[in-house]
């Protein structure tokens, strides 16, 4: 979308999309004023995840023989109760790469325990595992939207290459102490066209990946209120963006990254008034990154004191198709698509126990490099959600939310996420690609994305390394996210 008329149309759509949130906030504030019973930072004020407008209801089956069909290019909604293991039916062709994501979005304030989350599997009707992944709420135990994907890459010698019907399995993992409330579930199937001509399957040399961050943007900050999830994430590009996030809330942003482009991000959490100057939340603020297929890439959290600022800097590797073959590192392997990448910024509900208002947030984003010519697809990659168009760049400049006119995809809206990269001093052959220069602590469950059965799954020990001045490779292990690989086709995170 280009030109003054188009810009006006996008601005109008963005304003219209913001009205329900504004009305909801005004209603909550009014109710609190009348009743005096809802604290300023109550989870009741938090924004619930908004599912896609065109999402279709679906009901997972308890058996592999009764799963309802999940079709490419569509979004579906269901719910997960404690102990649920739900089956869905997926039809794959023999040429396209298939990426199927699941988003679990408990309502803000829902009690979740350490390690609660979801497990995903893609398997044949004969029980052969094609791919698996899992994601959880990590150490903070705070309810927020979490997502990951499973996939099938069409490639010679790979598993699950035959056209036919497969099972998608979504399992809820919950502790007995967690809330028994159902979790809203959103499923999405994206079919990536095959390449017109087979290319290299060798991922880049980790030592060749740039890690030196350029000076961050210092221009005037522009307000960009983040969305509640992937479907209404607000677009941002190179620049400085401000927002305010209430404790218990997660705000989503999206940035278009084309082939060869590299994202440098610094998320800064400002000070706010506090009722107790000694109080703090050890995992109070958090940043999660997802790729265009909603695949989890990496995350990091920080301690937040309220009267002391916190920052989470990060850098992603340049976007390259060959990255997906880095089976030793999800942080690199999941940055193998051009398209919209997503940033999810969370403030823990615990912060509301001592903070007297929302937390001011600034995102400084640097997109390094000009778009390069990508691989030639045998199909419309842009319509499938795996490309960056001029309209996308216009939307990023204008701050349009996902789902606005011009954000069509034929096979579905373009979906994003972000990668993290670790480099620093590379002492081992493997690489953990998620760079953070802030204080560090292990993040359980931050493993790689979906792994294809039958591949070399010997994952090298990694580190959330850093660029200049950061810890050397190997100083920080992946921890719980990378247990020893199970044998043969039962690889799991």
């Amino acid at each position: 979308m280009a030109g003054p008329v188009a810009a006006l149309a996008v601005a109008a759509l963005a304003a219209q999309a913001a009205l329900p949130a504004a009305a909801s906030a005004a209603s909550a504030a009014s109710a609190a004023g009348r009743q005096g019973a809802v604290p300023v930072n109550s989870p009741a004020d938090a924004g619930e995840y908004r599912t896609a407008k065109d999402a279709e209801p679906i009901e997972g089956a308890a058996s592999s023989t009764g799963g309802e069909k999940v079709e490419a290019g569509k979004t579906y909604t269901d719910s997960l109760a404690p102990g649920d293991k739900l089956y869905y039916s997926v039809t794959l062709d023999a040429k396209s790469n298939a990426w199927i994501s699941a988003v679990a979005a408990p309502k803000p304030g829902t009690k979740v325990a350490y390690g609660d989350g979801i497990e995903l599997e893609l398997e044949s009707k004969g029980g052969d595992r094609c791919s698996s992944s899992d994601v959880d709420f990590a150490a903070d135990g705070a309810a927020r939207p979490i997502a990951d994907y499973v996939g099938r890459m069409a490639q010679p010698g790979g598993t699950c290459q035959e056209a036919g019907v497969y099972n998608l399995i979504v399992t809820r993992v919950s502790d007995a102490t967690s809330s028994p409330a159902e979790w809203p579930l959103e499923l999405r199937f994206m079919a990536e066209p095959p390449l017109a001509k087979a290319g290299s399957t060798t991922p880049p040399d980790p030592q060749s990946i740039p890690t030196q961050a350029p000076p961050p943007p210092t221009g005037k900050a522009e307000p960009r209120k983040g969305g509640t999830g992937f479907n209404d994430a607000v677009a941002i590009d190179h620049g400085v963006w401000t927002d305010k996030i209430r404790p218990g809330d997660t705000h989503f942003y999206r940035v278009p990254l084309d082939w060869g482009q590299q994202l440098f991000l610094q998320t800064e959490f400002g000070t706010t008034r506090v009722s107790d100057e000694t109080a703090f939340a050890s995992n109070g603020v958090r940043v999660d990154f997802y790729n265009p297929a909603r695949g989890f890439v990496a995350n990091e959290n920080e301690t937040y004191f309220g009267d002391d600022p916190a920052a989470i800097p990060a850098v992603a590797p340049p976007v390259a198709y060959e990255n997906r073959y880095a089976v030793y590192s999800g942080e690199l392997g999941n940055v193998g698509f051009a398209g919209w990448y997503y940033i999810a910024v969370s403030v823990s509900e615990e912060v509301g126990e001592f903070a007297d208002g929302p937390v001011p947030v600034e995102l400084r984003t640097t997109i390094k490099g000009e778009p390069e010519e990508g691989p030639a697809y045998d199909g419309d990659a842009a319509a499938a959600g795996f490309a960056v168009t001029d309209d996308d760049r216009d939307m990023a400049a204008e701050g349009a939310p996902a789902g606005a006119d011009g954000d069509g995809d034929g096979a579905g809206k373009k979906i994003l996420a972000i990668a993290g990269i670790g480099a620093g001093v590379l002492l081992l052959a493997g690489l953990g690609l998620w760079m953070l220069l802030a204080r560090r602590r292990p993040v359980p469950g931050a493993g790689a994305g979906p792994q294809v059965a039958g591949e070399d799954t010997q994952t090298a020990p990694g580190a959330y390394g850093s660029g200049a001045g950061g810890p050397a490779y190997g100083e920080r292990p992946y921890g719980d996210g990378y247990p020893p690989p199970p044998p043969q086709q039962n690889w799991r995170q």
Side-chain angles (χ1 to χ4, degrees):
M1 187 179 294
V5 176
L8 259 160
V10 173
L13 285 164
Q16 184 180 9
L19 286 176
S24 175
S27 175
S30 175
R34 290 192 306 270
Q35 300 173 11
V38 181
V40 172
N41 288 326
S42 166
D45 291 330
E48 294 182 18
Y49 183 91
R50 293 190 188 119
T51 55
K53 294 178 181 178
D54 59 353
E56 300 177 10
I58 194 172
E59 187 172 345
S63 169
S64 61
T65 59
E68 290 190 38
K69 188 175 182 179
V70 173
E71 298 181 2
K74 293 186 177 182
T75 306
Y76 301 85
T77 58
D78 200 353
S79 60
L80 282 171
D84 269 355
K85 182 176 183 179
L86 302 181
Y87 287 81
Y88 306 88
S89 175
V90 180
T91 300
L92 305 183
D93 61 30
K95 295 182 178 180
S96 303
N97 295 324
W99 308 105
I100 308 146
S101 63
V103 181
K107 293 183 179 181
T110 299
K111 182 181 179 182
V112 295
Y114 178 97
D116 284 7
I118 55 174
E119 297 176 346
L120 307 179
E121 299 175 43
L122 182 65
E123 69 175 16
S124 72
K125 284 295 184 178
D128 294 328
R129 178 169 296 178
C130 313
S131 176
S132 66
S133 68
D134 59 74
V135 64
D136 60 40
F137 296 101
D140 55 13
R144 66 181 185 282
I146 56 174
D148 207 352
Y149 70 167
V150 285
R152 190 287 309 268
M153 284 198 297
Q155 56 184 346
T159 59
C160 302
Q161 298 298 298
E162 299 80 10
V165 180
Y166 292 78
N167 293 323
L168 169 67
I169 310 168
V170 183
T171 303
R172 171 171 166 173
V173 178
S174 289
D175 189 84
T177 62
S178 299
S179 168
E182 292 186 345
W183 297 347
L185 178 69
E186 186 172 70
L187 304 175
R188 186 163 183 79
F189 179 4
M190 298 180 71
E192 181 188 20
L195 297 182
K197 181 181 180 180
S200 171
T201 59
T202 302
D205 179 357
Q207 298 189 53
S208 70
I209 295 175
T211 60
Q212 181 63 50
T218 57
K220 181 179 179 180
E222 296 184 26
R224 291 281 171 93
K225 181 175 176 57
T228 65
F230 296 100
N231 304 299
D232 60 356
V234 69
I236 59 176
D237 59 1
H238 184 99
V240 185
W241 319 99
T242 64
D243 199 355
K244 292 183 178 181
I245 303 179
R246 290 180 177 275
D249 263 9
T250 296
H251 284 192
F252 279 72
Y253 314 86
R254 59 184 188 142
V255 56
L257 293 180
D258 213 337
W259 301 112
Q261 291 189 312
Q262 184 175 17
L263 178 72
F264 293 83
L265 169 71
Q266 178 159 298
T267 308
E268 301 167 0
F269 301 86
T271 58
T272 188
R273 291 180 300 177
V274 296
S275 58
D276 182 353
E277 294 182 356
T278 65
F280 65 92
S282 60
N283 300 289
V285 292
R286 180 185 183 91
V287 178
D288 290 87
F289 296 87
Y290 299 91
N291 69 19
R294 300 186 178 184
F296 172 80
V297 180
N299 59 28
E300 185 57 273
N301 55 57
E302 261 299 340
T303 298
Y304 184 71
F305 289 85
D307 59 352
D308 215 12
I312 300 178
V315 55
V319 176
Y321 191 92
E322 295 80 11
N323 288 349
R324 65 186 65 196
Y325 299 108
V327 296
Y328 51 81
S329 169
E331 290 89 347
L332 173 59
N334 288 337
V335 194
F337 312 95
W340 289 105
Y341 280 75
Y342 292 88
I343 306 168
V345 181
S346 303
V347 175
S348 171
E349 182 183 331
E350 184 182 358
V351 172
E353 296 176 4
F354 57 85
D356 292 336
V359 175
V361 175
E362 275 193 350
L363 294 89
R364 299 181 188 272
T365 53
T366 301
I367 299 177
K368 182 180 179 180
E370 294 298 321
E372 298 177 358
E373 184 177 356
Y377 281 100
D378 183 15
D380 192 340
F386 297 102
V388 176
T389 67
D390 289 340
D391 284 349
D392 293 334
R393 296 184 182 93
D394 289 343
M395 296 179 77
E398 297 158 357
D405 282 356
D407 191 27
D409 59 2
K413 301 180 186 71
K414 300 182 183 86
I415 307 170
L416 322 187
I418 248 192
I421 175 176
V425 182
L426 300 174
L427 301 180
L428 300 175
L431 175 67
L433 286 148
W434 169 227
M435 169 185 282
L436 292 156
L437 308 180
R439 297 185 296 273
R440 295 172 164 63
R441 65 186 61 79
V443 183
Q451 299 295 324
V452 177
E455 287 185 345
D456 177 9
T457 56
Q458 294 298 321
T459 303
Y464 289 148
S466 172
Y473 176 87
E475 286 186 359
R476 177 176 176 174
Y478 284 109
D480 294 344
Y482 280 82
Q488 299 179 5
Q489 295 188 344
N490 292 323
W491 198 98
R492 296 188 66 81
Q493 289 185 331

